[in-house]
Amino acid sequence: LPNGGAAHFPRHLLLIITWVDLWSLALFAGLYLGALVWRKNRFIHGRLMASTVFIALIPALGRAYGMNIPALEGLMGALNPSFWTCEIILAGLILKDGLAGRWKTPWWITLIGLEAIRLTMFAAPDWSGFIAVAQAMGLPD
């Protein structure tokens, strides 16, 4: 945390990014492992594997939005729009599957996971337990 490429970020933003990264990695691992478990079911396997793309898309969108949309004023302002973009796409995919009679689609897992991360990311820097974990990972005082 203190020496990586994000070392120039303000502490508050660094904690937010760390929160997002930790939970995104957990979500990615869960989606990937789920895809392995259901590898013989093409419907579930394919959607779980495709869902992993959204985990990588959020930081890419954050950088693209933050650098190219001046009204967002950088990465901090681009965080929500990055999540919203992925969530809108996932909602469309859920609707597509639902209209085909498959409302119980794996896209829900990704949508709920990303929404949980988004709803908690700005509060995380105020949680003492998370700060202790971040300090154990090398965040300076």
Side-chain angles (χ1 to χ4, degrees), residues 62-79:
R63 181 175 289 258
Y65 290 168
M67 290 178 13
N68 296 304
I69 303 174
L72 295 176
E73 298 178 2
L75 181 58
M76 183 71 103
L79 287 172

Side-chain angles (χ1 to χ4, degrees), residues 43 91 94-108:
F43 177 78
I94 290 168
L95 185 61
K96 180 181 180 290
D97 279 354
L99 293 174
R102 296 184 121 168
W103 287 104
K104 291 183 180 179
T105 179
W107 300 121
W108 283 107

Side-chain angles (χ1 to χ4, degrees), residues 11-24 58-59 62 75-84 87 113-127 130:
R11 180 181 169 93
H12 188 74
L13 180 57
L14 187 56
L15 284 166
I16 291 169
I17 291 170
T18 302
W19 178 263
V20 171
D21 286 351
L22 289 174
W23 287 109
S24 293
I58 289 174
L75 181 58
M76 183 71 103
L79 287 172
N80 273 325
S82 301
F83 276 88
W84 292 334
E87 290 166 358
L114 291 180
E115 185 65 6
I117 295 168
R118 187 185 70 77
L119 289 174
T120 57
M121 67 182 171
F122 291 116
D126 299 324
W127 295 335
F130 174 62

